[in-house]
Amino acid sequence: MSAPIVAIKVYLKVWGALLLLLALTVAAAYVPMGEFHLPVALAISVTKAFLIVFVFMEIKWGGRLLHLAAIAALLWLAIFFVLTFNDYLTRDLPSALVR
């Protein structure tokens, strides 16, 4: 199976988008957004991860088996997050923190 031939323009556009998102990340760190700081930062980071995975890791041009592997990895990540948060949320707080 041969690798797809991707135009250099695609890589340059994604690289430019990643640089723009990096600048947006730095700018968002200095803007007081209150409770919206975390959702904005997570949205920017998920967008960067999406670009990297789909273009530079070539998931976009891969076959069905590669797509299945990527979905399975995301499913396992979600399971680990659920189990971790379940453990964290069911613990008792230390008596020093309870008022």
Side-chain angles (χ1 to χ4, degrees), residues 3-96:
I5 298 174
V6 182
I8 192 74
K9 288 181 184 180
V10 173
Y11 290 121
L12 290 175
K13 286 179 183 179
V14 171
W15 179 69
L18 287 171
L19 284 178
L20 182 68
L21 287 167
L22 174 65
L24 190 61
T25 301
V26 173
Y30 292 103
V31 175
M33 291 182 272
E35 63 186 31
F36 295 110
H37 184 73
L38 181 63
V40 169
L42 285 175
I44 294 170
S45 65
V46 165
T47 305
K48 289 191 286 190
F50 177 82
L51 287 172
I52 290 168
V53 167
F54 276 89
V55 177
F56 289 117
M57 295 177 70
E58 298 184 357
I59 298 288
K60 181 178 179 181
W61 299 284
R64 288 185 178 177
L65 185 60
L66 188 58
H67 291 166
L68 180 64
I71 291 170
L74 288 174
L75 179 66
W76 275 111
L77 181 65
I79 289 170
F80 287 141
F81 273 124
V82 166
L83 290 174
T84 300
F85 288 127
N86 182 35
D87 177 52
Y88 180 74
L89 294 174
T90 57
R91 291 184 181 189
D92 291 331
L93 289 175
S95 60

